[in-house]
Amino acid sequence: MKKIVLTLLLLLTVLTSNAGVKVMCDVIYKNNDGEWSDFLRTKVTFCLGYEIKEYGESREVFAIIMSQDNQPIVLKMKESHVQTQDLDMFNIFLLLCFNDMLNEGIDFVLYDTDIKQEWKIYAKNDIGLLIDYDLGHTESGYIYNQGTLQNRNNGFYLDRVKPKDDPKHEGESGKVVYKDHWSYYILKVNDKYFAMSRNDHTIMKSEIGEVFIGDFSSYDVQKSFYNETRDVDGYKFIVLKSFDNYEDCEKFIKSKWPY
């Protein structure tokens, strides 16, 4: 897990020893490249804003995690989530389970004005059981876990869902408006039409109407393109020539057909 560089205001770290509720959870965060980290199992202290002296958001839900170098990471639950009651084990159970019924994690953001970073907190493991021993052995937690196991036996699964990484792509967006069996394509980019040949010889499909993102600015060089429609990287194209209209581009493409 890469080291997280945080700049937190001192007042956000003032959490009394009796405040908040600690729950063992799995957490992930998104790095600057748009990649989600591996799952990290750690204690998470859930609290309300007033408990960390954020009186303007006194009833909003916050979470505090200790980093590997024992520094507090303060997170705020995404969207406005006002908790009318103080947090105890039962209210934490309701908060975590009802805000993550599908085991996709609860969205948090780093509570820092300078650093924008997304986090997800999972109170349940990869098959949907509560991770925290104490939470799972409360009356509500025990009933929940037993119901999850029973549903699983009946074929209803709540396997954990980890979000996809952001696609790695740069460049302009072009839509496939023509293709033929000789691997020639026409992609419409803004008001231009680009004659292109695909020569990666893979089984990765591409069809008319799909959108590719990449560098259309240089010609006769094989480059990698990202298929946004299929969310797949690594399509290899050569940009042959650009045209102002479709008809001239199609004539050029057909002139490339072998006899």
Side-chain angles (χ1 to χ4, degrees):
M1 182 175 178
K2 297 179 180 178
K3 183 181 177 71
I4 308 168
V5 180
L6 302 174
T7 307
L8 295 175
L9 297 175
L10 201 54
L11 63 89
L12 297 179
T13 67
V14 181
L15 183 66
T16 65
S17 59
N18 295 324
V21 179
K22 290 186 178 181
V23 179
M24 186 67 74
C25 297
D26 285 346
V27 302
I28 56 174
Y29 68 92
K30 186 183 286 188
N31 65 21
N32 291 334
D33 294 325
E35 299 171 334
W36 288 97
S37 69
D38 295 332
F39 286 103
L40 172 66
R41 186 154 296 182
T42 185
K43 282 285 188 181
V44 179
T45 301
F46 293 95
C47 58
L48 300 181
Y50 78 88
E51 296 177 281
I52 54 173
K53 301 189 183 305
E54 281 298 300
Y55 298 115
E57 300 174 284
S58 62
R59 308 305 299 183
E60 298 285 338
V61 176
F62 288 80
I64 298 178
I65 302 166
M66 300 307 293
S67 70
Q68 291 178 330
D69 53 1
N70 206 36
Q71 296 298 313
I73 302 170
V74 181
L75 310 173
K76 182 184 176 185
M77 193 170 175
K78 285 185 73 172
E79 311 300 338
S80 178
H81 190 91
V82 176
Q83 187 77 8
T84 57
Q85 297 178 317
D86 284 347
L87 298 178
D88 56 20
M89 266 303 193
F90 178 69
N91 287 326
I92 283 292
F93 166 78
L94 296 178
L95 176 76
L96 298 178
C97 290
F98 282 91
N99 282 280
D100 189 16
M101 298 181 69
L102 299 179
N103 205 11
E104 295 178 346
I106 302 175
D107 293 318
F108 282 78
V109 291
L110 182 66
Y111 197 59
D112 187 288
T113 57
D114 298 321
I115 303 173
K116 307 298 181 185
Q117 187 178 51
E118 297 179 50
W119 287 68
K120 278 184 174 287
I121 296 178
Y122 294 77
K124 294 174 280 188
N125 64 15
D126 55 354
I127 64 169
L129 300 178
L130 291 163
I131 295 170
D132 188 88
Y133 179 86
D134 292 333
L135 186 61
H137 281 74
T138 62
E139 180 178 0
S140 300
Y142 178 79
I143 293 172
Y144 182 89
N145 279 347
Q146 291 303 307
T148 299
L149 290 173
Q150 184 61 47
N151 288 336
R152 195 171 184 85
N153 290 334
N154 293 333
F156 181 74
Y157 301 97
L158 279 177
D159 290 343
R160 182 159 58 187
V161 178
K162 184 179 180 181
K164 290 184 178 181
D165 296 336
D166 290 347
K168 299 183 181 71
H169 58 271
E170 295 180 352
E172 294 184 282
S173 175
K175 184 176 182 180
V176 178
V177 294
Y178 172 94
K179 64 170 289 189
D180 63 30
H181 61 288
W182 298 113
S183 297
Y184 288 103
Y185 290 73
I186 298 175
L187 270 69
K188 187 176 187 297
V189 182
N190 298 322
D191 58 351
K192 292 279 190 180
Y193 294 87
F194 286 80
M196 304 177 67
S197 66
R198 183 180 172 197
N199 60 346
D200 52 9
H201 304 297
T202 71
I203 62 173
M204 296 190 297
K205 293 183 178 180
S206 56
E207 303 294 343
I208 292 176
E210 294 183 353
V211 175
F212 284 85
I213 296 176
D215 178 14
F216 295 87
S217 64
S218 57
Y219 302 114
D220 299 324
V221 178
Q222 180 176 280
K223 288 172 288 190
S224 180
F225 285 77
Y226 164 67
N227 188 326
E228 184 180 50
T229 305
R230 297 179 184 267
D231 189 17
V232 176
D233 277 314
Y235 285 77
K236 304 297 183 182
F237 283 94
I238 294 176
V239 181
L240 302 175
K241 197 173 181 180
S242 65
F243 296 84
D244 292 328
N245 61 77
Y246 175 85
E247 290 75 16
D248 288 343
C249 191
E250 184 181 6
K251 288 179 183 177
F252 174 81
I253 286 290
K254 289 184 177 180
S255 73
K256 297 292 183 180
W257 287 0
Y259 294 99

